[in-house]
Amino acid sequence: MKILVCISNVPDTTTKVKFTDNNTKLDSTGVQWVINPWDELALTRALELKDNPASGVKGVTVAHVGPASSEPTIRKALAIGADDAIRVNFEPTEAYQVATQLAEVIKNEPFDIILCGIESSDYNGSTVGSMLAEFLNAPSVSAVSGLNVENGEATITRDIDGGKETVSVQKPFVAIVQKGIAKEPRIAAMRGIMQARTKQIKVVEPVGVSPLTELIEFEPPKPRAKCIFVDAENPKQLIELLQNEAKVI
Amino acid sequence: MSVLVFAENWDGNFKKLSFELVSYAAKVAEMTGTTATALSIGQVSDDELKKLGNYGAKKIISLKSDLLKNLDSQAYTAAIAEIAQNEGAKIIVLANNNMGKSIAPRLSVRLKAAIGSGTNKLPQSIDPFVVYRKVYSGNAFAHVKLNSEIKILTLMQNSFDPVETANEASIEEREVSIDGALVKTQVKDVQKQTGKLLLTDAEIVVSGGRGMKSPDNWGPLVELADLLGAATACSRPVSDEGWRPHEEHTGQTGKIVAPNLYIAVGISGATQHLAGVSASKYIVAINSDKDAPIFEAAQYGIVGDAAKILPQLVNAVKEVKAK
Ligand SMILES: Cc1cc2nc3c(=O)[nH]c(=O)nc-3n(C[C@H](O)[C@H](O)[C@H](O)COP(=O)(O)OP(=O)(O)OC[C@H]3O[C@@H](n4cnc5c(N)ncnc54)[C@H](O)[C@@H]3O)c2cc1C
């Protein structure tokens, strides 16, 4: 049984976001690129499952749609412990294109479980995983906060509004994972970093797909009004302001 | 032509979010010179369905098939796509919550419809169709043009005020042609939080961070929340440490909330925390460090010790309430 983890290459979550080219492009000067946090947790969980012989999981592959410049991020996933990687040589502008390319990869090389993060921390679309499942005509489970596999059978915990459900689903399936799927992201050890150098990154050429959406421009957030400070000796004043000025209580 | 809005129910009842969605769809319909049709899936009474009409839906379609009892992403997608096609819907509106996120992208592929996900405003323009959405976890916004004939929008909770209108809506119970073999998700067990205000539904949230110092200090924070009719939340380290339950973790990797008022107590205001709360209408910060970044995001602040300030706020709210 094999797991595919789809990874996105995103600016580190502490990046000061700035734009260039009339606010149509991220200014990538000084940006540190990392594995999208949820994808990193997905990878961690896939490796935990593989570590447990009772799971029946034999291999963990990562897939990424992006140019050669994102290979350091793929290497990092290999160093953390993925067995091998696939990169589709394509620079997507939106999720529909990413899902189209990933679906082609999986049609050519099937996997039993496909993991995607709930969103990428850059575009925040929450769409790739479910789009991919629809392209594959496979079931998808969203908001997954727990995944267990025993003898190849998966049990999934998903969040619903106001609670949790335990579900099972036919394979192959796409699980779209979030907080809870793994505790802490696994960190690459020295040995893993050495091994990653010789692991394979298979590069595949893209299929043609036109985007359905088009970015017109980015807009930096509007600066908030300056904070009004209330004296710590008189917290009551805060309640008055919230009641009479902001009118929120 | 119409705008189709999927109105989810919770044990047969709608809630404010449902009315936000229907009001939003009615407004988008007005902008595009058409009307809004609401779609309900599950066992919902006619009296409850009628409520959707009060927020501007002209027609209400109800699907009660047993095959749609639990969320199966493929079955739901097939059902909604079929209704959308029968109705000739050119715009489909869903909530940007767990349910909406599991269906909208599938619909997008099935109908080759561009998706504007997580929008918090009406479209900026109709021709071209441009939506406004948060990107970079709240550190920026984007204007995105949707280029397909059919368009899908998912709306952030608490971003559009429900508008009641005098309106008579027709209710139609329909069947869809989905087949049992399509349902591949089996629900084995459900655990629901009962009797607690959901964090994502709350209009006021009182949240604590590491500055609360210990899990034993939460009494006055919870009391303040109760008095304000607020939900309680926390920063990630607090839930990681097990001081508070995981459902309360807000931020980029936890829950994304947009209440009218977010009170952050002993929270430093890391970008990852702000990513989950920056859409709040008002942020109040209580922090002993006057240079804490949370004050840059806050409209009101108190520099001081949370342990001293919280009980005084509790008393102040009690006084106000007594009046
Ligand atoms: C990929 C990634 C994702 C993350 N996702 C999230 C997320 O979703 N949510 C999240 O919250 N964090 C997240 N984090 C962690 C985040 O970076 C911060 O570490 C975290 O938000 C800090 O929590 P805190 O404010 O409670 O604690 P601290 O940063 O330790 O701040 C405590 C604050 O309390 C104040 N304080 C101390 N004593 C008192 C007192 N007596 N009275 C009043 N104030 C006092 C201090 O001045 C300080 O500002 C993420 C990090 C990463 C790398």
Side-chain angles (χ1 to χ4, degrees):
Chain A
M1 164 150 172
K2 292 197 309 180
I3 301 183
L4 180 73
V5 183
C6 304
I7 61 171
S8 173
N9 182 34
V10 297
D12 176 84
T13 51
T14 54
T15 303
K16 266 258 166 265
V17 175
K18 283 181 297 193
F19 301 103
T20 59
D21 290 16
N22 287 324
N23 281 336
T24 58
K25 272 209 181 81
L26 177 76
D27 178 356
S28 58
T29 348
V31 170
Q32 282 265 22
W33 296 89
V34 298
I35 306 175
N36 182 41
W38 293 271
D39 307 348
E40 203 176 18
L41 288 176
L43 174 61
T44 301
R45 185 61 192 149
L47 295 170
E48 286 168 2
L49 289 169
K50 192 188 145 197
D51 288 348
N52 172 12
S55 72
V57 175
K58 295 273 189 287
V60 176
T61 301
V62 294
H64 172 71
V65 179
S69 58
S70 40
E71 287 207 356
T73 293
I74 303 177
R75 283 279 167 224
K76 192 176 162 208
L78 293 171
I80 292 171
D83 299 307
D84 54 4
I86 302 167
R87 178 174 70 81
V88 182
N89 191 24
F90 181 76
E91 201 160 353
T93 61
E94 50 136 40
Y96 187 81
Q97 292 180 313
V98 177
T100 304
Q101 304 299 349
L102 290 171
E104 277 307 303
V105 165
I106 297 162
K107 279 176 196 160
N108 293 324
E109 186 182 340
F111 289 86
D112 305 280
I113 300 179
I114 297 139
L115 301 181
C116 291
I118 189 150
E119 64 170 33
S120 63
S121 59
D122 51 1
Y123 199 66
N124 307 132
S126 288
T127 48
V128 170
S130 300
M131 283 184 172
L132 171 60
E134 183 68 21
F135 277 122
L136 297 172
N137 197 20
S140 53
V141 185
S142 292
V144 171
S145 58
L147 169 66
N148 230 324
V149 184
E150 255 172 79
N151 294 321
E153 287 311 310
T155 311
I156 298 170
T157 309
R158 71 173 168 198
D159 282 15
I160 51 171
D161 240 17
K164 286 186 188 305
E165 276 179 355
T166 309
V167 305
S168 69
V169 65
Q170 273 174 36
K171 283 182 307 223
F173 64 83
V174 179
I176 297 135
V177 310
Q178 59 170 37
K179 173 185 160 76
I181 187 73
K183 275 213 168 67
E184 288 283 329
R186 198 174 271 199
I187 292 165
M190 204 48 192
R191 197 163 144 241
I193 296 170
M194 300 296 286
Q195 283 172 343
R197 293 191 187 148
T198 55
K199 287 181 183 169
Q200 195 203 3
I201 301 179
K202 188 166 123 191
V203 179
V204 297
E205 286 311 313
V207 290
V209 51
S210 356
L212 297 179
T213 63
E214 193 184 317
L215 178 95
I216 297 187
E217 63 169 338
F218 290 114
E219 187 182 301
K222 292 184 185 66
R224 290 217 180 217
K226 263 212 152 50
C227 183
I228 298 169
F229 285 96
V230 170
D231 186 359
E233 299 303 316
N234 188 17
K236 215 177 120 181
Q237 199 201 336
L238 174 67
I239 301 301
E240 287 162 10
L241 286 168
L242 292 176
Q243 200 180 22
N244 305 323
E245 193 178 87
K247 298 190 172 41
V248 282
I249 61 173
Chain B
M1 220 184 88
S2 67
V3 174
L4 183 70
V5 51
F6 173 50
E8 179 184 355
N9 70 82
W10 289 263
D11 300 321
N13 299 307
F14 295 119
K15 64 181 182 186
K16 185 170 165 253
L17 170 62
S18 328
F19 306 135
E20 290 168 9
L21 284 165
V22 174
S23 299
Y24 179 85
K27 189 73 198 170
V28 174
E30 191 188 307
M31 289 169 77
T32 52
T34 170
T35 57
T37 298
L39 171 63
S40 161
I41 297 182
Q43 302 302 320
V44 182
S45 69
D46 277 6
D47 277 348
E48 192 68 16
L49 287 170
K50 263 192 205 134
K51 289 185 187 166
L52 300 177
N54 300 343
Y55 293 90
K58 290 280 182 235
K59 178 154 84 178
I60 297 152
I61 299 174
S62 165
L63 301 180
K64 294 185 171 163
S65 164
D66 262 355
L67 292 174
L68 299 169
K69 195 164 155 264
N70 293 310
L71 169 61
D72 175 276
S73 55
Q74 280 176 300
Y76 268 58
T77 302
I80 299 174
E82 186 175 324
I83 297 294
Q85 277 164 336
N86 290 343
E87 294 300 305
K90 290 288 175 283
I91 299 171
I92 307 172
V93 178
L94 300 97
N96 188 50
N97 63 358
N98 286 341
M99 172 74 87
K101 284 181 193 174
S102 56
I103 308 166
R106 297 197 72 125
L107 279 174
S108 158
V109 170
R110 183 161 302 206
L111 303 172
K112 217 164 192 283
I115 180 165
S117 62
T119 184
N120 62 352
K121 283 195 172 132
L122 288 167
Q124 310 249 280
S125 64
I126 296 300
D127 192 12
F129 200 94
V130 178
V131 296
Y132 182 84
R133 58 186 300 277
K134 182 186 87 171
V135 289
Y136 292 101
S137 303
N139 287 313
F141 297 87
H143 300 255
V144 182
K145 192 168 135 204
L146 308 188
N147 281 332
S148 52
E149 195 197 342
I150 302 176
K151 291 148 191 101
I152 299 173
L153 301 173
T154 65
L155 180 69
M156 299 273 285
Q157 186 162 359
N158 205 23
S159 63
F160 194 82
D161 286 332
V163 196
E164 276 198 82
T165 54
N167 173 39
E168 271 298 308
S170 62
I171 300 179
E172 290 175 25
E173 195 172 328
R174 296 252 190 106
E175 303 286 332
V176 276
S177 62
I178 49 170
D179 155 7
L182 196 62
V183 181
K184 297 188 189 111
T185 314
Q186 245 70 52
V187 175
K188 302 259 170 90
D189 184 39
V190 185
Q191 302 124 6
K192 276 202 179 150
Q193 293 177 27
T194 43
K196 234 182 119 186
L197 175 61
L198 292 185
L199 183 50
T200 42
D201 287 344
E203 296 191 354
I204 303 178
V205 172
V206 186
S207 185
R210 215 142 50 177
M212 292 293 290
K213 294 286 183 335
S214 131
D216 307 325
N217 296 343
W218 241 263
L221 187 148
V222 173
E223 191 179 358
L224 180 65
D226 284 345
L227 285 166
L228 294 172
T232 48
C234 67
S235 69
R236 182 165 109 172
V238 164
S239 68
D240 282 352
E241 292 290 328
W243 293 5
R244 298 293 297 173
H246 280 290
E247 307 86 77
E248 292 195 356
H249 162 197
T250 46
Q252 184 170 34
T253 45
K255 293 226 160 63
I256 312 255
V257 296
N260 295 336
L261 173 61
Y262 184 82
I263 305 181
V265 187
I267 292 176
S268 59
T271 48
Q272 298 96 347
H273 186 81
L274 294 176
V277 306
S278 62
S280 307
K281 298 200 176 88
Y282 284 89
I283 295 177
V284 168
I286 299 168
N287 197 302
S288 53
D289 173 8
K290 69 170 178 25
D291 296 322
I294 187 76
F295 288 121
E296 282 160 38
Q299 284 80 26
Y300 299 104
I302 303 183
V303 179
D305 181 0
K308 288 206 190 105
I309 290 163
L310 278 172
Q312 296 187 55
L313 289 177
V314 166
N315 287 334
V317 176
K318 280 185 183 158
E319 268 177 48
V320 166
K321 286 204 144 186
K323 270 186 208 161

